[in-house]
């Protein structure tokens, strides 16, 4: 299998890495986390695993943040393996704690968004929203994705074509929503606010970028048939400015 990885700068000396077992079309992925610094791998609490020079790192050696289905079996009508995770966002808070955002495939028409947050003692993993339908059947694990505010990971932006609270249909178009998510919040307590509405085309792949006193939400809007067949514009909202 080929794992999917995401990297972020946890502090000046440490790169945080989240990764899966493989592509969710081929395996019921779990989600893992490890820190890299000074030529060695570490657990999130600082315990050393081993040196990089000792060879490739195996999932069994590191922390399992979320346990997937650990199978290659796809039932009829499923294009990915049910209960497979796919990492899509990462950030660090002011205390240096990592937050890992990921999607969970239940079926082609039912994905969920989840966040795993390290609170200094343990991983707090919870479901935060219904993510809706896949973008297209051939890549049935593709969702609209979501993003953390890099300066404040409690602020989250998601793309979904269903009501994020209930999974009720929104009319077939992905819209953007935002919420502030506390350390113990889950799908039952989070209050989502719309960023877009009444759109003619999907709004997908949000990203928040920051620098020089600015903070901007970017996303793609337009027809998206496949990852090589699309005609989208980049849209933006300035969230903060000097």
């Amino acid at each position: 299998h080929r794992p999917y990885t995401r990297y972020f700068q946890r502090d000046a000396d440490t790169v945080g890495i989240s990764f899966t077992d493989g592509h969710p079309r081929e395996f019921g992925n779990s989600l893992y986390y490890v820190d890299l610094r000074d030529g060695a791998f570490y657990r999130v609490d600082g315990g050393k695993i081993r040196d990089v020079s000792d060879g490739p790192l195996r999932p069994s050696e590191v922390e399992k943040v979320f346990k997937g289905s650990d199978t290659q079996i796809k039932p009829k009508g499923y294009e990915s393996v049910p209960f497979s995770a796919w990492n899509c966002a990462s950030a660090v808070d002011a205390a240096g704690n990592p937050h890992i955002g990921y999607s969970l495939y239940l079926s082609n028409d039912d994905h969920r968004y989840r966040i795993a947050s390290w609170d200094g003692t343990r991983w707090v993993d919870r479901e935060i929203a219904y993510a809706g339908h896949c973008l297209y059947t051939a890549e049935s694990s593709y969702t609209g994705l979501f993003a953390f505010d890099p300066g404040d990971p409690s602020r989250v932006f998601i793309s979904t074509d269903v009501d994020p609270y209930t999974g009720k249909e929104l009319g077939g178009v992905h819209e953007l929503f935002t919420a502030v998510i506390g350390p113990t919040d889950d799908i039952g307590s989070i209050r989502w606010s719309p960023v877009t509405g009444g759109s003619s085309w999907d709004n997908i792949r949000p990203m928040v970028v920051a620098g020089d006193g600015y903070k901007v939400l970017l996303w793609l809007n337009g027809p998206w048939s496949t990852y090589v067949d699309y005609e989208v514009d980049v849209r933006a909202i300035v969230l903060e400015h000097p």
Side-chain angles (χ1 to χ4, degrees), residues 4-221:
Y4 279 74
T5 58
R6 290 191 68 88
Y7 306 89
F8 68 99
Q9 196 75 33
R10 187 174 174 194
D11 59 38
D13 302 309
T14 305
V15 175
I17 307 170
S18 66
F19 64 95
T20 67
D21 298 282
H23 195 294
R25 188 174 54 237
E26 301 170 347
F27 194 77
N29 289 329
S30 294
L31 185 68
Y32 306 88
Y33 181 83
V34 67
D35 282 329
L36 173 64
R37 64 176 174 274
D38 299 326
F41 296 112
Y42 292 84
R43 292 185 294 274
V44 69
D45 63 4
K48 185 175 179 179
I49 299 172
R50 62 176 176 78
D51 293 328
V52 175
S53 59
D54 290 337
L57 188 70
R58 296 183 177 276
S60 59
E61 299 178 85
V62 304
E63 294 173 278
K64 185 179 290 186
V65 177
F66 173 83
K67 179 174 172 52
S69 56
D70 295 339
T71 179
Q72 294 175 286
I73 298 174
K74 292 186 291 187
K76 185 178 180 179
Y78 289 71
E79 298 300 323
S80 292
V81 179
F83 219 64
S84 53
W86 209 351
N87 43 346
C88 61
S90 53
V92 61
D93 62 27
N97 295 323
H99 300 261
I100 308 302
Y102 62 101
S103 61
L104 183 67
Y105 174 92
L106 300 182
S107 71
N108 291 9
D109 298 330
D110 188 3
H111 299 71
R112 308 293 174 90
Y113 289 135
R114 299 180 64 91
I115 292 177
S117 300
W118 177 253
D119 67 1
T121 304
R122 64 188 180 95
W123 287 102
V124 180
D125 178 54
R126 67 276 199 204
E127 184 172 292
I128 63 165
Y130 284 84
H133 304 73
C134 61
L135 294 189
Y136 59 97
T137 302
E139 291 286 357
S140 57
S141 291
Y142 279 13
T143 66
L145 300 182
F146 78 89
F148 292 114
D149 179 332
D152 178 11
S154 68
R155 191 181 188 188
V156 177
F157 297 85
I158 66 171
S159 168
T160 178
D161 64 349
V162 299
D163 186 309
Y165 302 104
T166 66
K168 183 180 178 180
E169 300 285 342
L170 289 179
V173 175
H174 281 72
E175 303 283 7
L176 299 184
F177 296 83
T178 186
V180 174
I181 300 176
T184 61
D185 281 334
D186 60 18
I187 195 169
S189 59
I190 297 167
R191 295 294 174 259
W192 294 101
S193 300
V195 177
T196 63
S199 304
S200 300
W201 299 105
D202 284 334
N203 302 281
I204 61 174
R205 300 197 166 188
M207 177 181 296
V208 181
V209 295
D212 296 328
Y214 288 90
K215 190 173 290 183
V216 180
L217 171 66
L218 302 167
W219 72 93
L220 302 180
N221 172 265

Side-chain angles (χ1 to χ4, degrees), residues 135-136 142 204-205 220 222-227 229-232:
L135 294 189
Y136 59 97
Y142 279 13
I204 61 174
R205 300 197 166 188
L220 302 180
W224 180 288
S225 298
T226 73
Y227 74 99
D229 181 12
Y230 53 87
E231 192 173 346
V232 296

